[in-house]
Amino acid sequence: MNAEFTQDAPLLDVQGLKTVIHLPDGAWPAVDGIDFTVQRGEVLGLVGESGSGKSVTGFSIVQLMDSPAEVIAGRVLFNNEDLRLASEERLRSLRGNRIAMIFQDPLMTLNPVLSIGEQMAEAILEHRDVGRQEALRAAADALVRVGISLPEARLRQYPHEFSGGMRQRVAIATAMLNAPDLIIADEPTTALDVTIQSQILFEVQKLARDSGTAVIWITHDLAVVAELADRVAVMYSGRIVEIGPVDEVLDRSRHPYTLGLLRSSAAMVEPGQRLNQINGMAPRIDARPSGCPFRTRCDRAMSICAEQDPTPTIDGRHGFRCHNPMPQRDAA
Amino acid sequence: MTADIETFAKTAEANTPLRMQVLRNIRNRPTASGAAIAIAILVLLALLAPVITPQNPYDLASLSVMDNRLAPGETGMTGITYWLGTDAQGRDMLSAILYGLRTSLLVGLTATAGALAIGSVAGLLAAHFGGAVDALLMRIVDFMLGFPSILVALILLSSIGRGVDKVVVAIMLVQWAQYARLMRAAALVERRKEYIEAALNFGLPTRHILLFHLLPNSIGSVLVVASISVASAITLEATLSFLGVGVPVTQPSLGLLIANGFEFLLSGQYWIAVFPGIALVLLVMSLNLLGDRLRRSFNVRGP
Amino acid sequence: MATYILQRLLQSAGVMLAVSVAVFFSVYGIGDPIELLVPPQAGAAERLELIQRLGLDQPAWQQYLTFMGNALHGDLGRSFAHGVPAVGLILSRLPATMELVLLALSLAVLVGVPLGLFAGLDPHGKPARLILACTVVGYSLPNFWKGMMLILLFSVLLGWLPTAERGETVTVLGIRTSLFTADGLRHLVLPALNLAIPNVALVIRLVATGTTDLMTQEFVKYARAKGVRPRRIVGRHVLRNILIPVVTVVGIEFGSLVAFSTVTETVFAWPGMGKLLIQSIYQLDRPVVVAYVMLATFLFISVNLLVDILYAALDPRVKLTGGAA
């Protein structure tokens, strides 16, 4: 399946989503009014530095934000149902069932005192009226699909008997158990070493393609996005500053921040070219500059950037928020 | 991500000096400041007991047996009004309680100070010398902590007999081990720091390093725990005295006063046991609340 | 596993040996038992005869060896006061004490775990703060004082429950117990409650902090992301983790409950081994005191070993192997 067949209604339509963090001195937006869609079977890369709000976005979609964070505005339409208005029980029945998540640190996400089998089977048993044996059989099948051999024996083991990479495979297998419509993967390969990372990327891509599952892949690594994603959204200071098809955004970047990220990424720079760090650090959530939040680090900043927040510019399927974007280039 | 939010929320209050934070912490807590005031009043009353009590409860000549077991507020043969009643010997309960408070505080504070001193020295030695000294001391500590303190004190007192000094010794013996363990842990952390390394290389005598460098820098958490342990020392003394193996009858503490009143509790003469009990409860609860607040403010884990 | 248990048994034997030395020399070594044992009106010959019979003319180490030799045969001396073997005397009081201790431990777990879970799930809410405030009162009040207040309230003022002593007993499986008679249970309520209160408080605090801490763990969030029902998250994911420290604490507290039963038994005139100990201390009945300590140590060590095995069964990360322990 791909986007062309289901133009009418996207699987996920996020509109004006805003999530704040309540601190003693006020509520500061971690996600500051973002809009994006995900089509069925599409892989969307959500990219940004730490603190850009990309993880908060992932958790806000499934309404899993705990105090001091709170989703305060926007709509999250999943299959045309606004998840912000859904009851807690309705959300529970969707989580892990229609929308599965994979967390960043596989060492922390599995309960150390419950067996792998129990933790995988519960993802089925909490959503479907099947027997325990059947759930365990499904779990064993899923383990085989992510390349874990001797699944029956593995299911009886506990998390500490698995390596980090193996645990993340367990998490991926668990996410696939109910054939969800959407998987939100929050930097799932960051904690792993490079070879395991690419194996896992390959597996997710294959699974998404085979089963038509859409994926939101949250990462700070543009190389991963280039390899995996159909479209990419670049986040900075709680906003999406550039969004579009992956080759558009990476090859013909319009936002200076995207370009900065590209130039500072070792894997994205031609051999022999210099690596450039973006000046300075991302501003703290409670110390964001006026106007465009990126202007203090931007070498293309003009006077208007301090006065006015740039509004989105749409160029076909490519959108960006910048007063002084990079000039448009023709495809090479 | 969640971690980001948490660290962020914490930095907000991280820039005030620790001492000010602790003070503010106590002042802002009605229970903690109430406890501090209660302790101050009780200590003052205990100190002033000989001046303010209507009767010296230890002076048997001043007691009138005719006035025994008078209810609170009654006036006796001698014309004294007994606001808290009298006990079986005709002793004024108010006077007895204030003197008992003196004994309880005396035992609690001396025993804690002694245990603190012994435990700190043992902990420092273990941390500084390591090896066999450490292994031996910590084995003894484990052994001591393996047994309920009340049982150890009870057995010890059963062989050495009762007496204020003996109770103090017994409580010291059961409490030093926890300080030794804490002190050792704190000193081990401290010892790895560069200034100790420098002092050692400089050839300063061991005693000097232990006393002037290691001790003052490691004792913080131990002192905080000691503030709570005063309460448990007082409770332990009261319990031992209640069981009849603690302080002697000639110098009754609150625990012994309660024990003396116990037999009259069932016949309705509640005041002989209940008033000293209230004093004890007030003292122990206040010490506990304040100590607990201190511990949390300094972020020290209990023993 | 077998190596581990063997190692632990050896360690336990070492501890028993150390305790026997400590208790023998502190109880027999300090003071002159002759003064206490020989009636004042006894003549010199009678006095000498008793000294020889008790072996008190031997050097201390030899006395100790004799004591240990007898101890290995299960003989810890005869009670001066009762004239019967000390071990048998204490064992005859064991069931009464165990009733109290086991009931108190059950109360601690059955009341402490649910209340702790409840308080830990919303630690800043009003009910949780009330529960946690009560636990401060619960563990900081002197045990004997709580017992007296329970008697004053429930027996003297309300007249609901008896003030003291053990109720009617029946023999079940060869043990005289008051657990199965109505009168026995009525007598058990207050002393068991009194013994349990500090432990209930301890378990509540332990479970509450544990729960609050666990609920912020990544694996709980992950379970929520899997759509696991809150009931199962608390009842399975959190509780399963909480049980590990609870079991450890219950094991440690078993010893202190036995020790504190001396206080509770004194307040409630409960005819258990704790009250026997206090009486023996009054009567300077040293063989009973020594035998009590040895038997109590044996009991503590056995329970600790049991708890460690249970611990390994509960925590898959722990393997019982020799060496490290």
Side-chain angles (χ1 to χ4, degrees):
Chain A
M1 244 193 276
N2 61 44
E4 274 74 64
F5 292 100
T6 50
Q7 288 281 325
D8 44 351
L11 174 69
L12 180 73
D13 187 356
V14 175
Q15 300 169 359
L17 181 68
K18 186 166 180 177
T19 301
V20 295
I21 298 172
H22 293 283
L23 292 175
D25 55 342
W28 302 96
V31 171
D32 199 2
I34 59 171
D35 310 274
F36 67 93
T37 58
V38 179
Q39 304 296 331
R40 289 177 192 283
E42 181 181 53
V43 178
L44 173 75
L46 198 56
V47 188
E49 291 167 295
S50 66
S52 61
K54 58 190 192 299
S55 290
V56 177
T57 303
F59 284 101
S60 297
I61 292 168
V62 287
Q63 311 294 310
L64 257 183
M65 290 312 303
D66 294 322
S67 169
E70 187 194 3
V71 181
I72 58 161
R75 301 209 293 170
V76 178
L77 297 175
F78 177 73
N79 281 330
N80 283 322
E81 175 184 4
D82 190 348
L83 298 186
R84 272 200 72 213
L85 305 176
S87 69
E88 190 48 42
E89 173 55 25
R90 172 67 184 150
L91 286 168
R92 186 202 68 73
S93 72
L94 288 173
R95 290 181 196 136
N97 186 13
R98 304 325 316 144
I99 307 177
M101 291 189 79
I102 302 170
F103 283 27
Q104 178 169 1
D105 187 350
L107 300 180
M108 305 293 290
T109 47
L110 292 170
N111 191 329
V113 298
L114 299 183
S115 70
I116 297 293
E118 176 170 356
Q119 297 190 61
M120 290 186 73
E122 74 178 355
I124 299 175
L125 295 171
E126 292 287 296
H127 297 294
R128 282 190 270 152
D129 190 17
V130 299
R132 203 181 142 70
Q133 288 312 314
E134 194 180 328
L136 283 171
R137 254 195 310 278
D141 290 345
L143 283 185
V144 172
R145 277 199 284 163
V146 296
I148 293 179
S149 50
L150 296 174
E152 282 82 11
R154 284 303 209 168
L155 287 177
R156 279 192 296 274
Q157 291 185 321
Y158 288 86
H160 72 279
E161 296 167 89
F162 283 64
S163 69
M166 290 296 259
R167 287 191 222 185
Q168 203 60 301
R169 284 166 199 245
V170 169
I172 292 166
T174 308
M176 299 303 299
L177 281 174
N178 294 318
D181 298 322
L182 175 66
I183 292 178
I184 299 173
D186 182 18
E187 306 209 41
T189 55
T190 310
L192 306 177
D193 66 55
V194 182
T195 40
I196 296 167
Q197 182 176 329
S198 57
Q199 283 174 17
I200 285 180
L201 286 186
F202 173 75
E203 275 155 16
V204 169
Q205 207 166 22
K206 183 164 147 290
L207 290 169
R209 210 171 24 236
D210 294 351
S211 60
T213 299
V215 178
I216 296 179
W217 191 277
I218 299 168
T219 180
H220 62 269
D221 190 347
L222 280 176
V224 169
V225 167
E227 195 177 322
L228 183 76
D230 301 316
R231 283 197 310 141
V232 56
V234 180
M235 284 192 77
Y236 187 82
S237 282
R239 294 142 192 227
I240 292 178
V241 294
E242 185 158 11
I243 186 167
V246 69
D247 42 358
E248 278 277 325
V249 171
L250 298 189
D251 296 343
R252 288 178 286 277
S253 315
R254 302 299 303 274
H255 199 285
Y257 177 63
T258 311
L259 203 67
L261 278 182
L262 280 167
R263 285 183 177 158
S264 63
S265 166
M268 302 300 288
V269 170
E270 301 283 319
Q273 247 183 307
R274 274 188 63 209
L275 274 182
N276 290 304
Q277 290 301 319
I278 306 174
N279 301 325
M281 301 234 299
R284 280 168 50 126
I285 190 171
D286 57 350
R288 286 181 183 156
S290 63
C292 171
F294 186 60
R295 69 178 165 85
T296 48
R297 305 170 72 190
C298 181
D299 47 17
R300 297 175 60 84
M302 307 179 299
S303 57
I304 188 177
C305 298
E307 289 151 21
Q308 250 178 38
D309 198 2
T311 48
T313 312
I314 309 291
D315 176 10
R317 298 180 61 205
H318 192 163
F320 51 89
R321 285 174 81 156
C322 184
H323 289 298
N324 188 14
M326 308 300 296
Q328 203 163 10
R329 286 195 291 146
D330 289 325
Chain B
M1 185 268 323
T2 344
D4 283 355
I5 297 174
E6 275 161 22
T7 32
F8 197 78
K10 271 174 197 156
T11 48
E13 58 168 293
N15 294 327
T16 336
L18 184 61
R19 211 178 328 146
M20 295 309 291
Q21 274 183 51
V22 171
L23 270 182
R24 198 179 52 196
N25 232 326
I26 289 172
R27 225 177 290 143
N28 288 349
R29 301 274 168 162
T31 43
S33 51
I37 293 169
I39 292 168
I41 292 174
L42 287 172
V43 169
L44 203 67
L45 285 175
L47 285 175
L48 294 177
V51 188
I52 55 174
T53 50
Q55 195 184 62
N56 179 356
Y58 301 150
D59 179 12
L60 293 174
S62 75
L63 306 184
S64 161
V65 186
M66 303 294 286
D67 284 351
N68 78 78
R69 291 190 263 158
L70 290 179
E74 279 192 68
T75 306
M77 308 282 284
T78 48
I80 309 177
T81 304
Y82 299 110
W83 294 110
L84 299 183
T86 61
D87 71 1
Q89 276 90 46
R91 191 181 279 134
D92 172 37
M93 283 314 295
L94 179 63
S95 310
I97 289 169
L98 293 186
Y99 273 86
L101 198 59
R102 263 165 96 85
T103 310
S104 292
L105 277 169
L106 177 75
V107 172
L109 291 173
T110 358
T112 304
L116 183 68
I118 300 173
S120 300
V121 170
L124 274 181
L125 292 178
H128 187 77
F129 291 108
V133 179
D134 187 24
L136 180 70
L137 279 169
M138 285 305 119
R139 266 290 146 88
I140 299 176
V141 165
D142 289 342
F143 184 75
M144 292 299 303
L145 292 179
F147 289 90
S149 54
I150 176 120
L151 204 56
V152 177
L154 203 56
I155 301 299
L156 187 73
L157 285 169
S158 78
S159 59
I160 62 176
R162 37 203 306 191
V164 172
D165 50 344
K166 288 165 182 162
V167 176
V168 170
V169 168
I171 297 175
M172 265 161 57
L173 188 85
V174 297
Q175 285 203 335
W176 72 274
Q178 54 161 339
Y179 297 118
R181 183 177 277 178
L182 276 171
M183 190 64 173
R184 174 178 174 272
L188 275 181
V189 173
E190 207 58 34
R191 209 181 168 282
R192 276 187 227 110
K193 295 193 177 160
E194 278 178 12
Y195 73 100
I196 299 283
E197 206 64 35
L200 281 170
N201 291 338
F202 205 64
L204 287 175
T206 308
R207 204 174 48 160
H208 182 92
I209 295 176
L210 283 178
L211 276 183
F212 295 105
H213 296 290
L214 217 44
L215 178 69
N217 287 304
S218 334
I219 204 159
S221 59
V222 184
L223 282 178
V224 171
V225 170
S227 71
I228 303 175
S229 294
V230 174
S232 51
I234 289 175
T235 309
L236 185 54
E237 181 279 321
T239 307
L240 292 167
S241 296
F242 176 82
L243 292 175
V245 295
V247 297
V249 279
T250 51
Q251 201 180 343
S253 66
L254 292 173
L256 191 54
L257 288 174
I258 297 167
N260 290 338
F262 184 32
E263 56 177 308
F264 305 110
L265 189 67
L266 302 184
S267 54
Q269 284 142 351
Y270 64 91
W271 60 89
I272 312 179
V274 168
F275 289 136
I278 291 173
L280 178 66
V281 165
L282 198 61
L283 180 63
V284 170
M285 288 287 301
S286 306
L287 284 168
N288 256 317
L289 285 172
L290 190 64
D292 196 50
R293 175 53 42 195
L294 281 178
R295 185 178 58 78
R296 269 193 252 176
S297 305
F298 283 110
N299 206 7
V300 175
R301 287 219 166 217
Chain C
M1 182 79 177
T3 352
Y4 173 80
I5 291 178
L6 194 69
Q7 204 170 26
R8 282 294 302 268
L9 288 177
L10 279 176
Q11 271 177 6
S12 307
V15 172
M16 288 298 287
L17 200 67
V19 170
S20 73
V21 173
V23 76
F24 182 85
F25 287 101
S26 77
V27 173
Y28 281 96
I30 303 168
D32 184 4
I34 307 294
E35 296 302 318
L36 312 160
L37 291 178
V38 183
Q41 67 273 23
E46 205 178 325
R47 199 181 157 88
L48 200 66
E49 197 260 347
L50 191 68
I51 289 176
Q52 276 172 352
R53 187 154 56 84
L54 295 174
L56 293 171
D57 51 346
Q58 308 276 322
W61 62 269
Q62 204 152 12
Q63 287 187 38
Y64 172 72
L65 285 185
T66 315
F67 164 78
M68 272 312 283
N70 291 335
L72 288 177
H73 295 97
D75 174 13
L76 290 169
R78 268 174 180 276
S79 160
F80 297 156
H82 298 80
V84 295
V87 175
L89 185 63
I90 294 170
L91 290 181
S92 72
R93 305 290 185 90
L94 188 66
T97 297
M98 283 301 118
E99 274 173 15
L100 283 185
V101 169
L102 295 179
L103 204 58
L105 272 183
S106 318
L107 270 176
V109 174
L110 294 179
V111 177
V113 171
L115 281 180
L117 275 177
F118 177 75
L121 286 175
D122 180 20
H124 300 296
K126 276 234 162 63
R129 280 155 72 161
L130 184 69
I131 290 172
L132 293 176
C134 286
T135 63
V136 176
V137 179
Y139 73 54
S140 59
L141 283 186
N143 204 258
F144 66 91
W145 174 252
K146 272 176 295 213
M148 287 171 60
M149 289 302 104
L150 286 176
I151 292 177
L152 189 62
L153 181 62
F154 291 102
S155 305
V156 178
L157 295 178
L158 296 172
W160 290 352
L161 294 162
T163 54
E165 294 181 340
R166 202 173 179 210
E168 191 187 330
T169 60
V170 286
T171 306
V172 178
L173 304 170
I175 299 167
R176 290 202 71 77
T177 170
S178 62
L179 281 171
F180 301 102
T181 66
D183 183 55
L185 285 174
R186 269 165 49 81
H187 282 81
L188 256 172
V189 174
L190 288 183
L193 190 63
N194 187 48
L195 198 56
I197 286 173
N199 282 277
V200 174
L202 185 72
V203 171
I204 288 179
R205 290 191 84 90
L206 185 77
V207 172
T209 24
T211 304
T212 307
D213 189 43
L214 285 165
M215 286 305 286
T216 65
Q217 293 283 315
E218 207 61 1
F219 67 74
V220 166
K221 194 162 196 179
Y222 181 60
R224 289 168 66 199
K226 281 196 294 186
V228 179
R229 289 179 175 83
R231 174 191 291 270
R232 185 176 155 82
I233 289 181
V234 175
R236 186 76 186 147
H237 284 263
V238 171
L239 193 63
R240 191 63 181 66
N241 275 281
I242 289 281
L243 278 184
I244 295 166
V246 167
V247 163
T248 317
V249 161
V250 162
I252 294 170
E253 286 305 302
F254 175 83
S256 89
L257 280 176
V258 169
F260 269 101
S261 70
T262 55
V263 179
T264 295
E265 288 176 11
T266 303
V267 174
F268 290 91
W270 190 263
M273 53 191 258
K275 185 148 182 290
L276 177 68
L277 175 70
I278 300 291
Q279 279 169 342
S280 304
I281 289 174
Y282 288 153
Q283 298 166 338
L284 299 161
D285 198 346
R286 293 185 175 184
V288 178
V289 175
V290 172
Y292 177 94
V293 175
M294 299 300 290
L295 284 175
T297 309
F298 180 73
L299 208 59
F300 298 169
I301 289 175
S302 316
V303 170
N304 270 339
L305 184 58
L306 210 67
V307 164
D308 284 351
I309 292 171
L310 196 58
Y311 188 96
L314 279 174
D315 190 340
R317 290 162 296 187
V318 174
K319 285 273 171 288
L320 297 180
T321 45

